[in-house]
Amino acid sequence: MQVTFQITRQEPGSAPRVESYLLENVSPGNTILDCLNRLKWEGDGSLSFRKNCRNTICGSCAMRINGRSRLACKENVGQMLASGPETSITGGSPIAPTITIEPLGNLPVIRDLVVDLQPFWDRLEAIHPAVSRSSQLAAADRAWPATASTETRQTPDRRALLEQAGNCIACGACYSECNALMVNPQFVGPQALAKAQRLVDDTRDQAQGDRLTQLGADNSGVWGCTRCMACNEVCPMEVAPLDRISQIKSAILARTAPQQADRPVRHRQTLVEMVREGGWVDERQFALRVVGNGGRDWRGLASLGSLGLRMLVRGKVPLTFERSPGTAEVRSLIDAVRTAAAADQDNAPDSPA
Ligand code: SF4
Ligand code: SF4
Ligand code: FES
């Protein structure tokens, strides 16, 4: 069959443009990468894209195909035509079914489908992506032959906690689709946070406390995620970065009392506590408890002063608070979730012997 490929092309320093290529003798089982190779080898040698393994291993060939980030060597023409736009009719004649191809999003384009991955690697670097060991223990790790006292043991169950994030091939598809990254350049992004979960749950790592502090400190870490789910939907390796982010959030919330927590953590904790107390949020108290830390943070309280006064003058501050009629039900739901989480914690895999 014939297939039209509409490919977004761009030279350094110029605006992107869309070029159409008609490819003959295409089979539904051909991968998109097979087709790109033919377009380059048989037609336009200037077409630029990355590829390497051709087998969903290296992550090089990620690009946007039919509007969504995917691996070109994983998707085939049949699947893309089934999920893509309808074949158009122009002037009474059907045109060949069409597949659109664009470079990854959230990254600068170098040429055509080749993007500059440096911002992606910089964000990975920011989470210190290696197991952290004291120098003495690290030396013992390297000792050979290993003995029971020098090797680092890990139970199979603990090891299993690292596997899903460990499947990441650093393709950048999640980064490309991340809505938070589009508006918050400080956010480290889904791939770096998935990697961070792998280290937080790694029993060999000795920097868990520092990691959780860094990851929960501001909107560059887990609180910067808007939970849009895009990363889970596009990841070709089922790493499910959003789920990994949720694991880190749970670890952060579990380790910190509200009054000692950073503001983003206190925000989450206070929200849940207030809903548990009154069925909904008592707005008179919320800012005082989160920003003012219940009277402990004078600077925070002072920062609320002028806004609070203006709201008071304009009658925007409710004078009373009435609990929601459904408070008992809401409270029982929150308590049930907490009981289930505690049971999960009790059943969690043991630390290594
Ligand atoms: S769920 Fe969070 S990390 Fe994943 S794409 Fe959306 S904003 Fe980004
Ligand atoms: S988490 Fe998934 S989508 Fe993101 S870089 Fe890794 S393999 Fe690619
Ligand atoms: S070429 Fe390696 S993942 Fe596609």
Side-chain angles (χ1 to χ4, degrees):
M1 68 173 154
Q2 294 181 323
V3 177
T4 299
F5 288 87
Q6 290 194 329
I7 303 180
T8 301
R9 302 200 58 187
Q10 187 171 1
E11 269 86 52
S14 65
R17 65 186 190 284
V18 177
E19 280 193 23
S20 286
Y21 297 87
L22 184 66
L23 196 62
E24 312 270 355
N25 301 322
V26 179
S27 304
N30 289 152
T31 66
I32 301 302
L33 184 58
D34 292 336
C35 298
L36 284 171
N37 280 334
R38 280 190 55 207
L39 287 172
K40 185 175 176 74
W41 295 335
E42 297 170 16
D44 185 347
S46 70
L47 181 62
S48 301
F49 51 93
R50 284 199 180 100
K51 58 169 180 184
N52 193 347
C53 69
R54 304 196 303 172
N55 203 24
T56 324
I57 294 171
C58 71
S60 303
C61 66
M63 55 189 72
R64 273 194 173 141
I65 304 167
N66 281 352
R68 178 173 163 159
S69 299
R70 317 170 198 252
L71 296 178
C73 69
K74 186 177 184 202
E75 310 297 342
N76 68 36
V77 169
Q79 291 162 336
M80 291 302 95
L81 290 180
S83 66
E86 298 275 312
T87 302
S88 324
I89 308 281
T90 314
S93 329
I95 64 167
T98 300
I99 293 172
T100 64
I101 304 185
E102 303 158 88
L104 291 180
N106 285 331
L107 289 162
V109 174
I110 297 174
R111 181 185 289 276
D112 296 344
L113 305 173
V114 179
V115 291
D116 179 1
L117 284 161
Q118 195 57 48
F120 174 81
W121 299 124
D122 288 345
R123 283 171 170 79
L124 179 60
E125 195 66 34
I127 60 103
H128 308 290
V131 171
S132 175
R133 305 273 288 162
S134 73
S135 54
Q136 194 181 7
L137 285 168
D141 287 346
R142 289 194 298 273
W144 183 260
T147 66
S149 61
T150 60
E151 68 184 1
T152 306
R153 289 184 165 188
Q154 213 161 36
T155 62
D157 285 346
R158 289 299 309 194
R159 177 66 184 76
L161 291 178
L162 319 182
E163 267 165 23
Q164 201 166 352
N167 288 335
C168 173
I169 56 173
C171 68
C174 57
Y175 189 103
S176 164
E177 299 296 324
C178 177
N179 291 292
L181 274 169
M182 287 178 203
V183 293
N184 175 9
Q186 308 306 321
F187 184 47
V188 294
Q191 190 264 351
L193 291 173
K195 176 78 175 180
Q197 177 271 317
R198 191 168 188 263
L199 293 158
V200 163
D201 278 325
D202 192 326
T203 48
R204 298 167 299 170
D205 191 82
Q206 297 187 308
Q208 192 203 46
D210 291 344
R211 289 188 192 283
L212 292 177
T213 300
Q214 182 202 4
L215 294 166
D218 53 35
N219 281 345
S220 66
V222 290
W223 308 120
C225 166
T226 60
R227 288 173 289 179
C228 69
M229 291 284 290
C231 52
N232 278 17
E233 284 167 9
V234 300
C235 177
M237 304 306 291
E238 298 184 4
V239 170
L242 175 56
D243 297 6
R244 311 286 74 77
I245 291 169
S246 300
Q247 278 177 267
I248 299 174
K249 283 181 178 173
S250 299
I252 291 171
L253 292 172
R255 76 193 273 259
T256 328
Q259 53 275 25
Q260 271 115 40
D262 292 327
R263 196 178 291 174
V265 177
R266 196 160 57 241
H267 184 279
R268 267 76 180 176
Q269 292 171 325
T270 304
L271 186 76
V272 175
E273 271 322 309
M274 293 191 96
V275 171
R276 188 181 177 280
E277 285 162 19
W280 46 41
V281 172
D282 180 352
E283 291 173 26
R284 303 167 311 158
Q285 294 288 327
F286 190 64
L288 296 175
R289 280 165 67 169
V290 174
V291 182
N293 197 6
R296 291 174 198 82
D297 183 345
W298 285 101
R299 282 195 188 161
L301 278 177
S303 73
L304 291 173
S306 72
L307 175 66
L309 274 176
R310 271 183 286 142
M311 287 176 67
L312 207 56
V313 168
R314 290 176 194 177
K316 301 276 185 188
V317 178
L319 298 175
T320 56
F321 172 74
E322 285 184 25
R323 285 181 174 180
S324 153
T327 298
E329 198 177 343
V330 169
R331 187 175 298 165
S332 71
L333 283 171
I334 292 174
D335 289 345
V337 170
R338 284 181 169 166
T339 305
D344 280 352
Q345 191 71 29
D346 289 344
N347 295 331
D350 294 335
S351 292

